[in-house]
Amino acid sequence: MKLLRYRAGKEVLPGLLDNSGIIRDLSGHVPDITGAVLNDAVLARLAALDPSELPQVEGKPDLAPCVGQCGKFLGIGLNYTDHAEEMGMALPEHPILFLKATSSITGPNDDVVLPRGSVATDWEVELGVVIGTAAKYVSEEEALEHVAGYCVVNDVSERDYQTKLTGQWTKGKSCDTFGPIGPWLVTRDEVPDPQKLWLACDVNGVRRQTGSTSRMVFTVAQIISHLSQLMTLHPGDVIATGTPPGVGMGAKPKPVYLKSGDVMQLEIEGLGVQTQNVRSDSR
């Protein structure tokens, strides 16, 4: 299934994308797409519905983040071998963990807003993992059983904030609008192997990133298992699993960063496309 959330006036409603690309309203069956409905039992109930009998959503509504009420937004750094090479950094011994504030989460096609003083805002297409059932001390072998599904994440990063403001990467990762998620949450039954997906990111129509999840240093299963030794992963938590090469910071002969008026388009095989316009903060 491809689950989603869409805006109807001041409301955000749950939906499903059918095989014809039509959005169907799920509000008669679940109140929202959150951790509370991402367990296997509820997902099986939704999967048993006949999409043609669900109300059709008219027009092209704005899409909200594909999962609501996210408790934790976790990021993994330097998790692609070829990305580490372009950055001139050694491969990590353990997954590098940072946090993105949940207030950075936006819809897949919402504007990315450059914060005041930003001079080094960068793009990062990433495979997002959404937890479906609580995971604590899980093995690699059972880790994927705790996944509800997968989505596209743009781990937008302000590199000066990340590297020069002293402290953790979180500062450069958590600005408002720096976490577009979606367009939909694709349930794990439609992604039999998360390590066999291609990813891409275009900026102003120019291909900047191309990669494959097969180049991950730590697999999705290894990441979930590792994190579950440190903390309980709860339903609705989102993990951004790292980015392939081609980020602006690694461009040669000098870095290239986002500016107002730029357009980003990100895609992951089978998980859909998201598009963001970049603008400066006018406040």
Side-chain angles (χ1 to χ4, degrees):
M1 286 184 297
K2 294 179 174 64
L3 302 175
L4 56 89
R5 301 167 71 242
Y6 66 96
R7 298 178 178 123
K10 294 183 179 180
E11 290 186 288
V12 174
L13 299 177
L16 176 152
L17 189 77
D18 70 16
N19 290 333
S20 300
I22 297 172
I23 295 177
R24 302 285 180 168
D25 179 28
L26 278 177
S27 58
H29 299 272
V30 290
D32 198 356
I33 305 299
T34 67
V37 305
L38 293 179
N39 60 77
D40 289 347
V42 176
L43 292 179
R45 177 167 61 83
L46 295 180
L49 298 173
D50 182 351
S52 66
E53 296 182 358
L54 297 171
Q56 180 175 337
V57 178
E58 299 297 330
K60 295 183 178 180
D62 289 338
L63 297 180
C66 61
V67 60
Q69 301 178 23
C70 173
K72 293 191 287 295
F73 193 5
L74 307 170
I76 305 299
L78 291 177
N79 196 36
Y80 281 72
T81 56
D82 36 8
H83 174 52
E85 290 169 5
E86 78 170 341
M87 303 302 290
M89 303 179 75
L91 296 181
E93 183 179 355
H94 305 286
I96 295 174
L97 174 66
F98 60 88
L99 298 180
K100 288 178 74 78
T102 56
S103 56
S104 72
I105 295 174
T106 60
N109 302 317
D110 293 343
D111 290 352
V112 166
V113 181
L114 302 175
R116 290 180 182 177
S118 169
V119 295
T121 296
D122 206 347
W123 55 84
E124 292 191 24
V125 60
E126 306 202 5
L127 173 64
V129 178
V130 182
I131 299 299
T133 57
K136 181 65 174 178
Y137 300 132
V138 301
S139 67
E140 292 179 25
E141 291 71 26
E142 62 185 342
L144 296 186
E145 298 173 9
H146 294 267
V147 174
Y150 302 89
C151 62
V152 183
V153 173
N154 189 355
D155 176 23
V156 186
S157 307
E158 215 299 341
R159 302 301 190 186
D160 274 12
Y161 296 3
Q162 179 182 348
T163 62
K164 298 179 182 178
L165 288 188
T166 307
Q168 300 177 344
W169 289 5
T170 297
K171 293 180 179 180
K173 300 284 189 173
S174 295
C175 301
D176 297 346
T177 76
F178 274 24
I181 294 178
W184 29 80
L185 168 60
V186 180
T187 52
R188 75 171 187 267
D189 58 296
E190 293 195 12
V191 186
D193 188 349
Q195 306 309 141
K196 292 183 178 180
L197 303 174
W198 57 261
L199 313 82
C201 174
D202 294 351
V203 180
N204 300 327
V206 177
R207 179 59 49 91
R208 291 290 186 177
Q209 288 187 276
T210 304
S212 169
T213 56
S214 65
R215 299 298 301 272
M216 283 185 179
V217 179
F218 303 101
T219 66
V220 172
Q222 289 173 324
I223 291 168
I224 292 171
S225 177
H226 176 76
L227 294 179
S228 77
Q229 311 307 311
L230 311 173
M231 66 189 81
T232 301
L233 299 176
H234 292 103
D237 286 352
V238 177
I239 306 169
T241 56
T243 196
V247 297
M249 188 180 187
K252 301 294 187 294
K254 64 179 182 179
V256 176
Y257 294 120
L258 294 167
K259 62 185 184 305
S260 183
D262 286 347
V263 179
M264 292 178 283
Q265 187 172 81
L266 299 85
E267 182 175 7
I268 299 179
E269 181 179 359
L271 304 187
V273 178
Q274 55 175 232
T275 302
Q276 298 104 33
N277 294 311
V278 180
R279 61 179 174 86
S280 298
D281 194 336
S282 60
R283 291 174 297 177

